[in-house]
Amino acid sequence: MFKKIFFVTALLLASLLSAKPVVIASIAPVGYLVKAVGGDKIEVQSLAKGDVHSYEPKPNDMKAVAKARIFIAAGLEFEEAWIPRFKASAKNLVVVQSDAKIAKLKEEHAGHDEEHGEHDEKHSGHDDHKAKDDKHSGHAAKDKHAEHTGHVAKDKHAGHAEHDEKYEAHEEHDKEHEAHADPHVWLNPMLAITMARNISDALIAMDKANKDFYLKNFQKLMNDLLAFDESAKNELAGLKNRKFVVYHPAWGYFAEHYDLEQISIERNGKEPKIDEMASTVKMIKDENIKVIFADPNRSQKSAQVLASQTGAKVELLDPLGYNLLENLKIAVRAIKDANSPK
């Protein structure tokens, strides 16, 4: 009898000791970054799916958070309300901001030209940052040969110290429009690298024994994103019409990085009014826009109405899809095809 009890107890202890740490990501694309860095050393679960603006955790979500070691946040509105409750249910939960050191853009609520002009004026200081991003692609070859095991002490992941300093310089500017900040930073591959670096640092702090494993995975992810970025710039370089129409303005960071112009149908987070729809119809016709990109997580009604009135077609682009790298590739192909002469 005692042998049986001892055996069962030993099995339970072994199971507890071998259990992988649970890491919760607030949204799926952040979960993708977490899994890419953490690999099989961690268990990853993403919370919000679909329309994250109306997300509320389900009982199973709360149970998962209660078991988690780390919660990876991404600067989303729902996180402000729920993170205190998550921490209350899991006393030792470590909350990590994957968007730390990233200067935020103002969300393009107003639609197109009027808002875009204001955005350009307020963000002229981002030109140097964009140039830095463009130069960033040159790190690929260098990073492949770097002794990356020293990345934490050695300029924060292979030569990105200047990149971080540029972000820090924008911190005061961020505070001015934080209430209207665009959270979709993961859709710029350079900013996704910054997020992955923050994630890597958090996993190393939790699990120093596997530091080299996390660093190696981060290096691979970074190189994959840099290679994608170089390819994307080449694909989009020849476009004469660089405007694209979306229902929800999720692609601002992507557009800024690739010198494109995002035009939003949605106004102030709501369906456009009749007069706004009329002006958008005129703009689509004047600009010869052939495709309207709808968000599969949101209503497509307005996009379909505009398509019927302009002869454009509706296609889907998902800013919250799990496989971030593949989604970015899909976006590049879709926007290139939409703006290429037929």
Side-chain angles (χ1 to χ4, degrees):
M1 181 67 177
F2 287 109
K3 286 184 178 180
K4 185 176 182 180
I5 293 173
F6 176 80
F7 181 71
V8 171
T9 302
L11 282 177
L12 288 172
L13 286 172
S15 176
L16 289 172
L17 290 172
S18 64
K20 298 176 182 179
V22 176
V23 179
I24 302 293
S26 65
I27 53 174
V30 173
Y32 173 86
L33 297 176
V34 175
K35 186 62 178 176
V37 175
D40 60 4
K41 301 297 182 185
I42 61 173
E43 180 183 333
V44 183
Q45 181 170 330
S46 302
L47 290 187
K49 300 175 179 67
D51 184 359
V52 298
H53 295 273
S54 60
Y55 169 76
E56 289 191 9
K58 297 176 181 177
N60 285 343
D61 293 337
M62 295 301 294
K63 289 179 183 178
V65 170
K67 298 177 183 178
R69 294 277 298 277
I70 300 176
F71 179 86
I72 307 291
L76 295 160
E77 188 177 356
F78 82 84
E79 295 169 356
E80 295 180 16
W82 285 99
I83 284 175
R85 304 184 203 188
F86 292 157
K87 293 182 76 171
S89 68
K91 300 295 184 183
N92 297 319
L93 183 69
V94 174
V95 176
V96 174
Q97 290 296 146
S98 63
D99 61 325
K101 296 185 179 180
I102 293 178
K104 300 294 179 65
L105 300 177
K106 182 176 178 180
E107 192 161 30
E108 294 179 41
H109 285 307
H112 43 277
D113 295 338
E114 180 181 349
E115 176 72 9
H116 192 77
E118 180 182 352
H119 161 85
D120 286 346
E121 181 179 349
K122 288 192 175 183
H123 291 279
S124 58
H126 283 268
D127 290 343
D128 291 340
H129 164 66
K130 185 177 184 300
K132 182 71 68 179
D133 282 347
D134 292 341
K135 291 179 182 177
H136 198 124
S137 61
H139 286 291
K142 186 186 296 183
D143 288 339
K144 286 178 182 177
H145 302 290
E147 293 295 330
H148 196 67
T149 53
H151 89 110
V152 175
K154 187 178 178 182
D155 77 340
K156 288 275 184 182
H157 294 282
H160 292 276
E162 294 180 25
H163 190 65
D164 288 345
E165 288 170 10
K166 179 58 68 177
Y167 286 157
E168 288 167 1
H170 287 291
E171 283 181 356
E172 289 303 315
H173 177 64
D174 290 345
K175 293 175 184 177
E176 294 176 8
H177 63 276
E178 185 175 355
H180 301 289
D182 182 351
H184 303 88
V185 291
W186 57 89
L187 296 175
N188 175 337
M190 295 299 98
L191 302 185
I193 289 173
T194 299
M195 297 175 80
R197 183 165 68 251
N198 292 333
I199 291 165
S200 176
D201 287 344
L203 295 182
I204 290 169
M206 175 192 69
D207 182 18
K208 292 182 175 63
N210 286 305
K211 173 182 175 180
D212 290 347
F213 176 84
Y214 299 131
L215 294 179
K216 182 179 179 181
N217 286 349
F218 168 80
Q219 181 74 56
K220 181 182 184 306
L221 175 60
M222 179 171 66
N223 288 341
D224 287 345
L225 286 166
L226 288 170
F228 158 77
D229 183 55
E230 191 69 20
S231 173
K233 286 176 181 174
N234 290 334
E235 281 200 63
L236 297 170
L239 290 182
K240 292 183 179 180
N241 184 358
R242 307 192 71 81
K243 296 180 180 181
F244 64 104
V245 175
V246 297
Y247 172 79
H248 178 64
W251 296 86
Y253 295 95
F254 179 92
E256 184 193 51
H257 183 61
Y258 293 113
D259 192 26
L260 301 166
E261 182 180 343
Q262 169 187 250
I263 299 171
S264 174
I265 297 170
E266 184 185 77
R267 310 296 178 93
N268 300 313
K270 299 176 182 178
E271 292 280 339
K273 298 176 182 177
I274 294 175
D275 60 333
E276 293 170 336
M277 284 286 279
S279 65
T280 303
V281 167
K282 183 178 184 304
M283 179 277 302
I284 290 173
K285 289 180 177 179
D286 289 347
E287 297 289 346
N288 196 29
I289 300 292
K290 300 298 185 185
V291 177
I292 298 169
F293 292 106
D295 185 333
N297 308 295
R298 290 170 169 264
S299 169
Q300 297 163 32
K301 180 179 177 181
S302 292
Q304 295 290 355
V305 170
L306 285 171
S308 68
Q309 294 179 358
T310 61
K313 63 179 180 178
V314 175
E315 293 184 5
L316 300 180
L317 281 183
D318 188 358
L320 292 167
Y322 173 75
N323 192 327
L324 176 60
L325 187 57
E326 185 58 31
N327 276 354
L328 290 173
K329 291 177 181 178
I330 289 170
V332 168
R333 289 194 297 266
I335 292 171
K336 180 183 176 181
D337 289 346
N339 289 356
S340 297
K342 303 301 180 189

